[in-house]
Amino acid sequence: MNASGVHCTSAQEIQEVLNSDSLGAVSKSMTIEARQGNPKPRYWDDSKVSINSMGLPNHGLEYYLQAAQQIQKHDDQLFWLSVAGLNLEGNFDIFKKINSIQSIDAVELNLSCPNLPDHPIIAYNLPEFERMLKSVLDVSEKPVGVKLPPYFENAQFDSVAKILNQYPIDFITTINSIPNALVVDIASESTVITPKNGYGGIGGPFIKPTTLANINQFHLRLEDRIAIIGCGGIQNGSDVFEHILCGASAVQIGSQIAFEGLSCFQRIQNEFQQIVNQKKYSQISDFRGKLKRIAPQETPQPRFNY
């Protein structure tokens, strides 16, 4: 899949992504009202890392409800809306509108955006996180998923998984970009993006270890009925294999689209298929979530006694 927000602002971009035969689904981040997003420059990348503070630029709910009815997709492709939680208070009836559009296959509740000034990441406030999740599930008739920020402590994974296991959600997406990062241009002695005084979310290959850890931590804690979509640091087929080995059932690609364009989907798919063939796996379930652990080695005895 594409990562929500990447190459999907317009109906034309959404269709371009769907036209990639190697793609299984398209996800689009949106808010109720249209947003221009944060001031530019708001995105920067090199071959190893990207930093962004996009601020959820999008055309608003009504635009994407219409776009969903116009796009052409294969029977085995999915289209879903990733709805940002920043202005949902009192507006949960928007999910009733989404319910009526047959071509929208699922809804993702995005409670993890790190790039909105004066809007803290909701998924770090667990009581608010649970309240908003329950409110959406009460009204949505579509499959529901949750887009999560990165977590870093075992206690956080325990607490979030306990909440998720209590509710009939279908999937999680992990991770959103790592928040509150800073990239410096040494020539100009300046930040490389404008919003939030130059602070933004980090993506690209640099974040893959954090992504793999979050996938695996949730794989060990979540009920099997909750699928995990891995998102972060995918450049090639090996990265896809690692995501699935750690527990993902699907993957999203973001920064690599900016680096390479939509052709990256087919290349990565081919590379991944070669790895699966070489390992003689016939289906994803043969290796999904089956990450092995290195056994502890015996402590070597000292050569001399003092």
Side-chain angles (χ1 to χ4, degrees), residues 125-173:
N125 181 338
L126 296 189
E128 179 66 6
F129 169 81
E130 183 172 10
R131 185 191 69 82
M132 193 164 289
L133 175 61
K134 184 178 184 302
S135 297
V136 169
L137 288 168
D138 284 344
V139 295
S140 178
E141 298 173 4
K142 304 282 187 180
V144 172
V146 185
K147 188 170 186 177
L148 299 174
Y151 296 100
F152 300 96
E153 298 179 354
N154 286 341
Q156 291 177 308
F157 292 109
D158 291 340
S159 298
V160 175
K162 183 178 180 180
I163 292 172
L164 296 173
N165 284 331
Q166 293 178 23
Y167 293 95
I169 68 166
D170 293 89
F171 63 91
I172 65 167
T173 304

Side-chain angles (χ1 to χ4, degrees), residues 225-274:
R225 62 181 174 81
I226 302 176
I228 299 174
I229 300 173
C231 180
I234 291 179
Q235 286 184 298
N236 52 51
S238 296
D239 298 326
V240 175
F241 188 89
E242 290 176 27
H243 278 58
I244 296 173
L245 186 66
C246 288
S249 294
V251 299
Q252 293 183 349
I253 299 172
S255 295
Q256 193 62 31
I257 296 176
F259 296 155
E260 183 179 345
L262 297 179
S263 62
C264 71
F265 287 120
Q266 189 62 64
R267 175 186 62 78
I268 293 172
Q269 168 72 10
N270 291 340
E271 293 171 355
F272 170 69
Q273 190 64 57
Q274 289 177 2

